[in-house]
Amino acid sequence: MKMKKKILLDILRILLVALSVWLLCTVYSNYLDRQIGQLYQANKSYVDTINGLEQKDKGTALLEETFQNEPGMLVMGSSELSAPVPENPKKLMPNQYYPHHVSYTGHAYVQNALQGMLLGANDEAVSGADIVIIESIQWFGYENATGFLSNFSELSFLRFLKNERISEENKIYLCNRFIELQEANKHSLFDELSQRFSKGTSLQFIGRIADKLKNIFPEFFQSQIDYPQTHWLAKLYTSSSVPGRVVYYITQPYFTVREDFLELKDKFSTYQYLKSLDGTSGENTVHEIDWDQLYITAEEEGKAACTNNDLFVYDEYYTKYLADRYESLKDYSVNETTSGSKEWEDLKFFLRVCKELDIKPYVVIMSTNGLYYDYVGYDIKKRTEYYDTIEQIVNEAGYDTLNLKEWEYEPYFYCDVMHLGWKGWTYVSENIVDHFTE
């Protein structure tokens, strides 16, 4: 009898501790919500125009706050969003034609699978927002597992799997894609230790030990993955075996708690970031735009920036990345192709997610600097096939496109060999505004 009473008291204590922790976390979460709301309003203009921000690309709290009171527009892209030209859309929108706020997500290696996961994790936040995604031919080249994983969000993944509006087909696709890229990026713990503590460092003996252990332990014990817990969750989610399904359901309470923890961690990170800003940018400026004059200005600025080459890329870029090795780049990319790229399936995944969430993205099919791509041997026929294929896939899914294939050779349309420039961003921004205001 005493033993039973002791067990019941122990259980009661555990429940009381758990309840206290839950109440404390709830109070703190609500406090962070209020702080994030106030700090975002004080820094709204600056925060909206930043892309490549971890709290946007991997989190949920900042996007929820951004679109809480006004749907506005979300522009999803990659490195082109950081193009160093005055006509970057961050400086053209909002304007008198589109006065709503515009926010930007993505940077290098943030591509269709991650963009689809982001929407699936934040569909309530972006409900009603105008969505733009900028597709790049470079996405459909060689696959970069490291780039994917460096931009992967465990929180977004967990929320995506929990979203009841997302089909099993898309959840399983994302799980399998994640597993595939995780396993392609396996790395050796001992190799990492050997490199980190190489000869000449103060702890080089650790590197020597790692080298010896590498030859002793089998490869299985050496392999490391970046997100082990999420990896096993994805494995369990896609398992069709009875034991696999049983273990999946048994682990659900743990992953529910982990999701709550990651959400709280994201809120704290967002609060810390917003608190670090000066709080002076306030509301977005609504720009007054004269498109005709802007094209004239863009031409002049592009001409002034491109003086030391015939590729119409700005001088600093040419000097830093091309000048010293230009001759060796001749026909360098002759064997490159988009055919067979798994990015095609990722694109279809993104479009399926949009359909399930009732999102109608405007898809900008960015072309590239035709003069440079001709020189490196990436044939125009292959490029045109890519542009036409992606347009067909998007149109068949029921969405509109802006295909830039006709602008490959337009001077100053691109500022370097791949990123939109002075005239390019002017043209794209004008068409985005027209699309959502017509």
Side-chain angles (χ1 to χ4, degrees):
M1 186 71 182
K2 289 182 178 180
M3 180 62 69
K4 287 184 178 179
K5 186 176 180 180
K6 184 176 183 303
I7 292 173
L8 287 173
L9 286 173
D10 288 341
I11 292 174
L12 183 60
R13 289 190 186 99
I14 292 172
L15 290 175
L16 286 173
V17 170
L19 179 61
S20 299
V21 171
W22 179 79
L23 286 172
L24 181 63
C25 289
T26 301
V27 170
Y28 187 54
S29 178
N30 291 335
Y31 166 78
L32 290 175
D33 285 338
R34 292 192 297 273
Q35 292 298 307
I36 288 170
Q38 294 171 10
L39 291 168
Y40 170 72
Q41 291 301 322
N43 298 281
K44 183 175 181 180
S45 178
Y46 178 79
V47 173
D48 282 356
T49 57
I50 292 294
N51 69 288
L53 183 64
E54 183 172 330
Q55 288 79 3
K56 279 189 190 180
D57 293 346
K58 296 185 178 184
T60 60
L62 190 52
L63 282 178
E64 288 175 357
E65 184 61 40
T66 300
F67 293 99
Q68 181 172 284
N69 298 316
E70 180 190 3
M73 182 189 298
L74 178 64
V75 179
M76 312 176 78
S78 52
S79 54
E80 71 283 339
L81 294 175
S82 299
V85 296
E87 290 74 20
N88 190 302
K90 300 170 186 179
K91 301 176 182 178
L92 302 182
M93 296 187 288
N95 54 48
Q96 74 268 34
Y97 307 109
Y98 191 93
H100 314 293
H101 76 99
V102 182
S103 189
Y104 301 82
T105 62
H107 57 287
Y109 304 116
V110 177
Q111 300 176 192
N112 285 297
L114 292 174
Q115 304 283 29
M117 183 175 73
L118 182 71
L119 289 180
N122 295 278
D123 66 306
E124 291 185 4
V126 301
S127 177
D130 297 323
I131 305 295
V132 177
I133 184 168
I134 302 168
E135 297 283 335
S136 169
I137 191 172
Q138 289 80 26
W139 293 6
F140 295 79
Y142 73 94
E143 189 161 80
N144 190 310
T146 302
F148 173 91
L149 292 169
S150 67
N151 292 293
F152 178 79
S153 165
E154 186 181 1
L155 174 58
S156 292
F157 184 82
L158 293 173
R159 285 176 60 118
F160 186 94
L161 292 187
K162 194 175 74 174
N163 191 332
E164 295 180 355
R165 299 177 68 189
I166 302 293
S167 66
E168 281 299 296
E169 176 190 9
N170 283 329
K171 291 177 181 178
I172 290 173
Y173 179 87
L174 181 62
C175 286
N176 285 331
R177 196 74 171 98
F178 170 70
I179 293 169
E180 177 185 20
L181 291 164
Q182 274 267 86
E183 295 184 349
N185 198 54
K186 279 183 179 179
H187 42 278
S188 167
L189 171 63
F190 299 132
D191 281 342
E192 288 186 0
L193 290 173
S194 180
Q195 291 171 11
R196 182 174 298 180
F197 303 105
S198 58
K199 187 176 181 180
T201 62
S202 58
L203 299 175
Q204 59 182 331
F205 71 92
I206 297 177
R208 289 197 299 269
I209 294 173
D211 285 335
K212 292 178 181 179
L213 291 176
K214 181 180 177 181
N215 298 321
I216 297 174
F217 285 90
E219 185 178 347
F220 173 80
F221 293 102
Q222 299 185 39
S223 295
Q224 300 291 308
I225 52 178
D226 295 301
Y227 298 94
Q229 295 181 60
T230 315
H231 182 84
W232 286 112
L233 173 62
K235 286 272 193 181
L236 291 171
Y237 194 92
T238 56
S239 174
S240 58
S241 69
V242 173
R245 300 312 296 164
V246 170
V247 174
Y248 169 75
Y249 286 112
I250 289 174
T251 58
Q252 281 312 284
Y254 167 77
F255 282 107
T256 298
V257 173
R258 180 156 181 80
E259 181 185 347
D260 291 340
F261 166 74
L262 291 173
E263 286 185 348
L264 188 62
K265 182 181 177 183
D266 171 54
K267 287 183 181 182
F268 179 72
S269 173
T270 300
Y271 164 69
Q272 288 288 87
Y273 167 72
L274 292 174
K275 190 178 178 182
S276 71
L277 304 179
D278 61 18
T280 60
S281 67
E283 288 292 329
N284 291 288
T285 300
V286 178
H287 303 279
E288 288 293 323
I289 300 295
D290 181 337
W291 295 115
D292 292 335
Q293 180 58 48
L294 194 57
Y295 281 109
I296 295 172
T297 303
E299 175 90 21
E300 294 171 349
E301 290 173 345
K303 192 172 184 178
C306 306
T307 64
N308 65 355
N309 64 89
D310 297 323
L311 298 174
F312 300 110
V313 305
Y314 66 94
D315 292 349
E316 293 84 353
Y317 183 94
Y318 181 80
T319 300
K320 185 175 182 179
Y321 297 108
L322 301 176
D324 292 340
R325 63 191 188 107
Y326 188 68
E327 290 186 7
S328 67
L329 291 172
K330 179 66 176 173
D331 293 330
Y332 178 82
S333 302
V334 70
N335 294 319
E336 285 193 30
T337 179
T338 62
S339 177
S341 170
K342 294 180 181 178
E343 193 67 29
W344 290 111
E345 293 305 314
D346 289 350
L347 169 65
K348 294 174 184 177
F349 161 77
F350 173 84
L351 296 172
R352 290 196 306 269
V353 169
C354 287
K355 189 168 291 291
E356 290 171 356
L357 301 179
D358 198 27
I359 290 172
K360 298 179 180 178
Y362 185 46
V363 181
V364 178
I365 305 171
M366 191 167 61
S367 57
T368 193
N369 186 322
L371 294 173
Y372 173 79
Y373 270 65
D374 287 345
Y375 182 77
V376 298
Y378 200 125
D379 189 69
I380 188 172
K381 291 182 180 179
K382 290 191 290 186
R383 304 198 305 264
T384 302
E385 181 182 359
Y386 158 77
Y387 303 139
D388 291 343
T389 302
I390 192 171
E391 181 174 31
Q392 181 181 354
I393 290 172
V394 174
N395 290 161
E396 287 178 353
Y399 304 121
D400 294 330
T401 59
L402 176 62
N403 194 336
L404 303 180
K405 68 178 182 178
E406 303 296 334
W407 298 94
E408 282 196 330
Y409 300 100
E410 177 70 20
Y412 318 122
F413 201 85
Y414 290 89
C415 66
D416 52 35
V417 301
M418 67 186 79
H419 298 125
L420 290 165
W422 306 269
K423 290 164 71 173
W425 268 127
T426 301
Y427 181 79
V428 170
S429 298
E430 181 182 21
N431 277 269
I432 288 174
V433 169
D434 288 347
H435 175 79
F436 288 112
T437 57
E438 63 184 12

